[in-house]
């Protein structure tokens, strides 16, 4: 059979298309971004008219996906792990409302924090919501789980989480596609009260969710993605979760592992499998990418009958990604390390692109604040966060999306004047608007800098929800139009930028300075596309 060489994220996108999806909803966030981009560019998805535009943030994305499910259609919502924090309210409650059309939430976790603020494990959220979780061990399973996950969601009447990690998201393998399923017809819920979480209804539906837990576990026990493999050595057992099963197989390329293995890729953890491995083995090693979710579970289940090792015990590092060498070490196998990195080779720290508008903004900001003590600039998440590094050393915080505005407000409330917030255009519409509204309502003395490069540049230049709307949004939440200033961050305007900063710092109230210049990478991409169209007008 013909195989497609797919990244994990592409396999998920194709699985959604082939599974009869009618819409995908997402906010860009590595390592999940390419799922939506794949669907946006896929010819079959375009032909079928699958809805795939970006949302303002993960919460709006999740709620829209739930709305499509309400109408009976199959939908998927995609985000990285910290995005699930933003969507948590809708996510947790959707487990209680249940679904109508199949709903999959695909969450890409980022162990080792390649492009994230933390390493949180989304399986905890799935367990908290008490819904089934699918965790693929390879790209073929990623495709199959998504394609079949919509049917599972409709059968169990709840959202289903597909949890992947960076390494699976951004590595390739052969994937065999199955037939393309038709989209659902639009049909409204048969229970008119299903989505109305008034306390009396919510209590009833919550009891229903609790009653389904036994069904979820039985379904996981029968799942083809969970496998109990007896080994010759009865003293030792291995529970391998998701991609960790691949790392285990790399250590036994001839499938000659002597130990009993529980391959776990669908949750909740089936207790009958745990009972079997506990009766057979004296010691169990838990291999999982992320937090010790399963290790904690089996330690409680085994009590003192079986010795459990893993991330908690120190057999594996508590932080960072797993890999085949770490698994080999935990198994007592020899590992071959490469040569040490020569001293000549040094790490190249991340830096703003040459010609980036953020550079000119920071130079002007530093000069305007030179007369004050340090520690007055609160930043946000985006390319401009690199302003924390030399040669700028301009910013002093980066906590979560939107926190720049509210942290600056809190610092000003404490008496730190001037206090400056730096936030990007897409981050502003993601979660900065409400903070600005708080600042206006409280008449806070802050300067909000919106560094507008007209795209979601850090994740690849996706469309920004803020495009063409920033000034009207700021005026709409109550910022004095006389203190909404718009500048072009270029070297030739340096003195004007410094002067504007000084004027707005002197103003006692909320002021907004918008620095607007197209992302240099997006501009280069646009010019290449325009040239290509000019050279080939018929294509």
């Amino acid at each position: 059979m013909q195989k497609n060489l797919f990244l994990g994220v592409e396999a998920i996108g194709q699985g959604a298309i082939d599974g009869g999806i009618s819409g995908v909803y997402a906010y860009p966030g590595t390592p999940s971004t390419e799922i939506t981009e794949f669907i946006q560019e896929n010819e079959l998805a375009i032909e079928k008219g699958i809805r795939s535009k970006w949302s303002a943030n993960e919460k709006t994305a999740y709620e829209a996906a739930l709305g499509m499910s309400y109408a009976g259609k199959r939908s998927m919502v995609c985000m990285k792990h910290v995005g699930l924090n933003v969507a948590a309210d809708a996510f947790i409650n959707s487990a209680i409302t249940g679904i109508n059309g199949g709903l999959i939430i695909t969450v890409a976790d980022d162990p080792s924090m390649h492009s994230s603020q933390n390493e949180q494990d989304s399986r905890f959220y799935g367990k908290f919501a008490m819904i089934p979780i699918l965790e693929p061990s390879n790209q073929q399973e990623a495709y199959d789980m998504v394609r079949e996950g919509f049917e599972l969601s409709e059968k169990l009447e709840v959202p289903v989480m597909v949890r992947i990690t960076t390494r699976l998201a951004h590595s390739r393998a052969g994937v065999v596609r199955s037939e393309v399923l038709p989209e659902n017809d639009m049909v409204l819920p048969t229970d008119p009260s299903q989505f109305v979480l008034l306390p009396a209804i919510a209590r009833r539906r919550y009891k229903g969710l609790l009653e389904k837990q036994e069904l979820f576990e039985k379904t996981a026990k029968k799942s083809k993605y969970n496998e109990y493999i007896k080994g010759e050595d009865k003293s030792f057992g291995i529970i391998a979760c998701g991609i960790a099963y691949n790392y285990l197989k790399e250590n036994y390329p001839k499938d000659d592992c002597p130990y009993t293995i529980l391959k776990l890729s669908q949750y909740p953890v089936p207790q009958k499998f745990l009972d079997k491995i506990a009766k057979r083995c004296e010691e169990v090693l838990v291999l999982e990418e992320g937090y010790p979710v399963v290790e904690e579970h089996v330690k409680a289940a085994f009590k003192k009958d079986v010795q459990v090792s893993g991330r908690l015990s120190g057999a594996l590092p508590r932080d960072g990604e797993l890999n085949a060498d770490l698994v080999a070490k935990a198994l007592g196998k020899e590992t071959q390390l490469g040569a040490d990195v020569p001293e000549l080779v040094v790490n190249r720290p991340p830096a703003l692109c040459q010609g980036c508008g953020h550079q000119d903004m920071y130079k002007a900001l530093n000069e305007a604040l030179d007369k004050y003590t340090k520690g007055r600039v609160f930043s946000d998440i985006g390319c401009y966060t690199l302003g924390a590094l030399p040669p700028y050393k301009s910013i002093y915080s980066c906590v979560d999306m939107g926190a720049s505005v509210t942290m600056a407000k809190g610092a000003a409330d404490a008496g730190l004047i001037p206090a400056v917030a730096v936030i990007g255009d897409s981050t502003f519409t993601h979660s900065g608007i409400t903070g600005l509204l708080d600042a206006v309502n409280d008449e806070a003395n802050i300067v909000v800098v919106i560094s507008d490069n007209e795209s979601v540049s850090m994740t690849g230049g996706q469309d920004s929800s803020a495009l063409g709307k920033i000034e009207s949004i700021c005026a709409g939440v109550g910022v004095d139009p006389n203190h909404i200033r718009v500048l072009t961050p270029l070297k030739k305007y340096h003195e004007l930028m410094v002067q504007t900063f000084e004027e707005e710092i002197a103003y006692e109230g909320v002021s907004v300075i918008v620095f607007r210049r197209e992302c240099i990478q997006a501009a280069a991409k646009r010019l290449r596309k325009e040239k290509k169209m000019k050279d080939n007008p018929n294509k």
Side-chain angles (χ1 to χ4, degrees):
M1 297 180 70
Q2 182 181 352
K3 285 190 175 182
N4 302 268
L5 190 60
F6 280 150
L7 292 169
V9 283
E10 294 172 338
I12 288 169
Q14 190 67 65
I17 295 166
D18 294 351
I21 193 175
S22 294
V24 60
Y25 297 85
Y27 179 82
T30 305
S32 70
T33 306
E34 297 94 338
I35 301 172
T36 303
E37 288 184 332
F38 179 85
I39 296 173
Q40 288 172 337
E41 298 167 6
N42 184 273
E43 291 183 5
L44 178 58
I46 294 170
E47 179 185 324
K48 289 165 67 71
I50 293 173
R51 185 268 169 213
S52 60
K53 290 183 180 179
W54 296 105
S55 302
N57 65 32
E58 293 85 358
K59 181 175 184 288
T60 64
Y62 196 95
E63 290 160 347
L66 185 61
M68 181 169 277
S69 168
Y70 172 92
K73 299 281 190 173
R74 291 179 169 179
S75 60
M76 180 169 68
V77 57
C78 311
M79 61 196 69
K80 67 185 295 180
H81 59 293
V82 289
L84 187 52
N85 297 333
V86 180
D89 197 9
F91 168 64
I92 298 297
N93 287 343
S94 70
I96 299 173
T97 66
I99 54 88
N100 189 18
L103 173 58
I104 288 178
I105 172 173
T106 299
V107 190
D109 291 353
D110 188 22
S112 286
M113 293 180 270
H114 296 287
S115 59
S116 307
Q117 311 96 285
N118 66 38
E119 282 194 356
Q120 72 187 50
D121 191 321
S122 297
R123 292 177 300 167
F124 268 121
Y125 262 121
K127 184 179 179 181
F128 182 33
M130 295 185 288
I131 63 168
I133 307 167
L134 302 174
E135 186 180 17
S137 64
N138 55 49
Q139 285 75 2
Q140 183 66 60
E141 281 192 350
Y143 170 84
D144 293 336
M145 284 179 172
V146 172
R147 182 182 173 277
E148 299 166 9
F150 295 107
E151 183 179 352
L152 179 66
S153 173
E154 289 165 357
K155 176 184 175 183
L156 301 179
E157 300 178 324
V158 290
V160 169
M161 175 186 285
V162 174
R163 185 255 186 172
I164 61 170
T165 55
T166 304
R167 201 59 51 187
L168 180 64
H170 291 159
S171 58
R172 293 187 184 275
V175 174
V176 177
R177 290 176 58 191
S178 301
E179 65 174 316
V180 180
L181 300 175
E183 294 181 41
N184 286 0
D185 293 330
M186 188 175 72
V187 56
L188 297 184
T190 53
D191 178 2
S193 68
Q194 177 181 344
F195 290 87
V196 184
L197 290 186
L198 291 169
I201 299 172
R203 284 191 288 268
R204 172 171 55 82
R205 293 206 60 84
Y206 181 56
K207 285 182 183 293
L209 178 62
L210 293 173
E211 289 167 359
K212 287 181 178 179
Q213 296 306 302
E214 185 177 350
L215 172 61
F216 296 169
E217 187 175 329
K218 285 182 179 178
T219 305
K221 180 179 179 296
K222 296 177 182 178
S223 171
K224 65 182 180 182
Y225 303 117
N226 291 339
E227 188 176 2
Y228 181 83
I229 307 163
K230 282 187 179 181
E232 296 177 3
D233 188 335
K234 297 182 180 180
S235 66
F236 193 77
I238 302 169
I239 299 176
C241 309
I243 196 172
Y245 180 68
N246 246 356
Y247 298 142
L248 176 63
K249 289 189 70 176
E250 285 186 48
N251 280 283
Y252 298 98
K254 296 181 181 179
D255 286 334
D256 56 350
C257 180
Y259 309 119
T260 293
I261 301 169
L262 171 56
K263 175 189 178 293
L264 187 60
S265 286
Q266 182 167 334
Y267 303 79
V269 181
Q271 184 61 41
K272 288 190 177 180
F273 283 152
L274 297 185
D275 292 341
K276 287 174 72 173
I277 203 168
K279 287 179 181 178
R280 186 174 177 83
C281 302
E282 299 169 7
E283 182 181 352
V284 170
L285 172 67
V286 181
L287 305 175
E288 54 190 323
E289 186 81 289
Y291 290 1
V293 177
V294 173
E295 186 180 354
E296 288 183 341
H297 181 94
V298 298
K299 280 176 74 74
F302 292 165
K303 298 179 181 176
K304 295 182 180 179
D305 300 331
V306 179
Q307 182 180 340
V308 179
S309 59
R311 288 190 181 267
L312 282 175
S313 73
L316 295 162
R318 184 62 195 266
D319 64 326
E321 290 182 286
L322 283 186
N323 57 47
D325 286 339
L326 290 172
V327 170
K329 187 177 179 181
L331 291 168
K333 295 168 69 74
E334 290 187 10
T335 58
Q336 293 182 343
L337 299 177
D340 292 335
V341 178
E343 292 183 7
L344 180 66
V345 179
V346 295
N347 285 330
R348 185 179 69 176
L352 292 169
C353 301
Q354 287 301 310
C356 172
H358 300 323
Q359 293 178 319
D360 298 305
M361 179 272 291
Y362 278 130
K363 289 174 183 176
L365 177 60
N366 283 351
E367 184 171 330
L369 289 176
D370 189 52
K371 66 183 78 171
Y372 303 98
T373 56
K374 302 292 184 183
R376 297 174 177 274
V377 183
F378 303 86
S379 185
D380 235 289
I381 295 171
C383 302
Y384 48 89
T385 312
L386 296 173
L389 304 178
Y392 313 104
K393 294 186 177 179
S394 302
I395 65 172
Y396 295 86
S397 76
C398 172
V399 179
D400 64 86
M401 299 280 276
S404 60
V405 180
T406 35
M407 284 187 70
K409 178 192 178 300
D413 291 344
L416 185 66
I417 307 293
V420 179
V422 174
I423 189 168
D425 51 316
S426 178
T427 309
F428 175 66
T429 49
H430 178 285
S431 48
I433 298 172
T434 48
L436 183 61
L437 180 59
D438 272 357
V440 169
N441 288 341
D442 215 10
E443 298 180 352
N445 189 358
I446 63 171
V447 177
V448 178
V449 176
I450 303 178
S451 199
D452 179 13
N453 54 19
E454 301 184 324
S455 66
V456 193
S457 301
M458 188 173 66
T459 53
Q462 294 81 17
D463 293 339
S464 169
S465 297
L467 189 62
K469 305 178 181 74
I470 291 176
E471 294 93 315
S472 59
I473 290 171
C474 294
V477 299
V479 179
D480 184 343
N482 293 320
H483 293 280
I484 301 173
R485 312 285 291 274
V486 181
L487 299 170
T488 303
L490 288 168
K491 288 182 176 63
K492 63 182 179 180
Y493 300 130
H494 177 76
E495 295 303 324
L496 174 61
M497 291 189 290
V498 173
Q499 179 185 336
T500 304
F501 269 126
E502 291 174 342
E503 291 172 355
E504 295 308 326
I505 287 170
Y507 170 65
E508 295 185 6
V510 178
S511 60
V512 174
I513 307 176
V514 181
F515 288 89
R516 178 169 295 130
R517 197 170 114 213
E518 185 180 14
C519 167
I520 193 166
Q521 297 295 340
K525 184 177 179 181
R526 174 178 55 79
L527 290 172
R528 287 194 298 269
K529 185 176 180 181
E530 289 174 359
K531 184 179 184 300
K532 186 177 180 181
M533 291 179 65
K534 183 178 179 181
D535 294 342
N536 301 280
N538 295 325
K539 290 188 177 181

